[in-house]
Amino acid sequence: MASSSLVKLNASSSSWIGQQSFNQRSGSTCRLPCSNNRRVSVVRAGSYTDELLKTAKTIASPGRGILAIDESNATAGKRLASIGLDNTEENRQAYRQLLLTTPGLGDYISGSILFEETLYQSTTDGKKFVDVLRDQNIVPGIKVDKGLVPLPGSNNESWCQGLDGLASRSAEYYKQGARFAKWRTVVSIPCGPSALAVKEAAWGLARYAAISQDNGLVPIVEPEILLDGDHPIERTLEVAERVWAEVFYYLAENNVVFEGILLKPSMVTPGAEHKEKASPDTIAKYTLTMLKRRVPPAVPGIMFLSGGQSEVEATLNLHAMNQSPNPWHVSFSYARALQNTVLKTWQGRPENVDAAQRALLIRAKANSLAQLGKYSAEGESEEAKKGMFVKGYTY
């Protein structure tokens, strides 16, 4: 009876689960209560399991979130060019040193995602960046995917590459001090999304997650549903439910330990070009509805991406989602929504470093308060209210 009722519930909330993830995979391992002639898969505990759980809980700690500074060298170059700086390793190192050496950052930031170059860099005084983070009780993380490429056979969609050699790279990142990883793939609503693109995104994320856990890294699972499009919020909800249903199916198929992962979802919003803008309360309602339907409570943390929202929008939406208790730690993993004002304050000038670090603390504290449900937008600057959406944005 339990089996049939569960199937009925899933089918009613998403035809995708009933028709795609279960019925068409009748030969795969059973995940629901099964009859005696079908085997039940059990997630195997690996040698890093205890450490993974500890790392995930540290990152998903009250009032703290993730600072994402894992931009590729090409994307970092675009950011530097916006303030008139050349894209050199020296300039990239100087900017990331500004961010990571900010006094008091660990009060609001529990983890920082680094690009490979940054993971192996040091301050100008010779202290490794990973040690700078550890001294503030911030967990070092690493971007491990190799970027997006066109997906043949799809509707002009993309897939994320980087599985080749991932195990050996992850082992080296662990030795260097990284303790969690990030893999970003994207789903485009204007392009469909096609069943092929959704399946490819979900399978790639699941393989990456299993490999990461096998090498001691907590995987951040990030299928970003892009803001591009003029669709209503209801369409975003539909696609998000479909994508996350597929992702968790394949995570389970790959024996990923749910207690040792973190999620980095998009908030459920209307398309950036939709005629009506949703309020923070509406975004919170739709986003939490999606999460409660799709994400097991075993997952320790939901670390939202900002995806081109303004600094204030991202903070207001997070605050709205923390007005009542959630089954998981609901927090942030922001890049532009933490760095935009910082970069413009710095302008590449040594004399502006202190002011830029204060700007970072202001944004980090604002999102810390939002995670606790205690944020107020009173006194926010006009710069922080400016949207950062770029159509067709690439990292």
Side-chain angles (χ1 to χ4, degrees), residues 93 97 117-118 120-129:
Q93 187 275 348
Q97 177 171 317
E117 176 183 78
T118 315
Y120 290 92
Q121 283 179 330
S122 301
T123 67
T124 50
D125 294 333
K127 187 172 185 177
K128 293 179 180 179
F129 280 149

Side-chain angles (χ1 to χ4, degrees), residues 221-241:
V221 178
E222 181 184 0
E224 179 176 355
I225 298 172
L226 299 172
L227 282 175
D228 302 63
D230 59 1
H231 50 276
I233 195 170
E234 291 82 5
R235 174 60 176 156
T236 308
L237 175 64
E238 177 187 1
V239 172
E241 289 186 350

Side-chain angles (χ1 to χ4, degrees), residues 16 19-22 24-26 28 151-154 157-160 163 183 185-188 192-208 221 223 239 241-251 253-254:
W16 178 261
Q19 295 175 11
Q20 298 291 331
S21 292
F22 292 114
Q24 293 185 7
R25 298 187 181 109
S26 58
S28 61
L151 177 63
S154 71
E157 294 162 290
S158 301
W159 69 285
C160 188
L163 289 177
W183 175 287
T185 192
V186 301
V187 173
S188 171
S194 67
L196 173 63
V198 172
K199 182 175 181 178
E200 177 58 45
W203 177 256
L205 284 165
R207 290 305 305 139
Y208 137 77
V221 178
V239 172
E241 289 186 350
R242 173 181 168 187
V243 169
W244 281 105
E246 196 81 344
V247 167
F248 272 99
Y249 176 87
Y250 283 119
L251 287 173
E253 284 290 285
N254 282 273

Side-chain angles (χ1 to χ4, degrees), residues 63-66 108 267 280-281 283-284 287-288 291 302-306 309-324 326 329-334 338 363-375:
R64 300 206 296 167
I66 294 174
Y108 314 115
M267 297 179 189
D281 287 343
I283 291 170
T287 303
L288 291 175
L291 293 174
I302 311 288
M303 321 299 286
F304 282 105
L305 58 89
S306 54
Q309 300 177 73
S310 74
E311 291 177 333
V312 171
E313 279 178 327
T315 308
L316 281 169
N317 291 337
L318 179 63
H319 169 77
M321 280 183 265
N322 281 293
Q323 293 309 295
S324 59
N326 292 302
H329 175 80
V330 174
S331 192
F332 60 93
S333 177
Y334 294 163
L338 283 172
R363 291 262 47 88
K365 183 178 181 180
N367 285 291
S368 169
L369 290 170
Q371 197 287 312
L372 297 170
K374 300 178 180 179
Y375 167 73

Side-chain angles (χ1 to χ4, degrees), residues 125-140:
D125 294 333
K127 187 172 185 177
K128 293 179 180 179
F129 280 149
V130 292
D131 292 332
V132 171
L133 290 170
R134 284 169 172 165
D135 286 351
Q136 292 220 55
N137 193 29
I138 300 173
V139 182

Side-chain angles (χ1 to χ4, degrees), residues 98 102-103 345-346 349-360:
L98 179 160
T102 298
T345 302
W346 178 46
R349 299 172 182 169
E351 63 269 25
N352 291 344
V353 167
D354 287 348
Q357 290 182 330
R358 288 195 296 273
L360 176 58

